[in-house]
């Protein structure tokens, strides 16, 4: 089994006093980013190919457990639904 965490965006609509996103130490352009959909899709497809080609013991669980998380709120990414659908189409991905 492989555990993967993906941060689709560092934008967040909450202003938690304890979170690094609330501390303005970096400029807005350095902090707030979106993962391009093309990069996400390439990563997902290559992970699926890798795990299918991975030669291992028959008892090895070839599942990829995918989490969308990070400093930002994943659902604020404008292509989040497309990302989710792309990942759901891969044979080994579990969410």
């Amino acid at each position: 089994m492989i555990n993967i965490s993906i941060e689709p965006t560092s934008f967040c609509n909450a202003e938690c006093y304890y979170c690094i996103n609330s501390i303005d130490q970096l400029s807005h352009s350095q902090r707030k980013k979106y993962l391009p959909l093309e990069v996400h899709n390439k990563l997902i497809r290559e992970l699926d190919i890798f795990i299918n080609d991975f030669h291992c013991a028959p008892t090895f669980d070839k599942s990829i457990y995918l989490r969308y998380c990070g400093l930002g709120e994943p659902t604020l990414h404008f292509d989040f639904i497309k990302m989710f659908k792309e990942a759901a189409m891969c044979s080994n991905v579990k969410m």
Side-chain angles (χ1 to χ4, degrees), residues 10 12 14-28 30-32 71:
S10 55
C12 186
E15 294 182 4
C16 305
Y17 69 91
Y18 51 84
C19 181
I20 192 70
N21 267 343
S22 298
I23 301 170
D24 196 19
Q25 293 179 346
L26 300 174
S27 73
H28 186 74
Q30 289 176 313
R31 273 191 306 144
K32 307 298 182 182
L71 288 176

Side-chain angles (χ1 to χ4, degrees), residues 7 24-25 50 52 55 58 61 63 67 70 76-77:
E7 183 178 24
D24 196 19
Q25 293 179 346
F50 170 77
N52 282 328
H55 299 288
D61 180 5
S63 298
R67 284 185 218 93
L76 291 180
H77 194 292

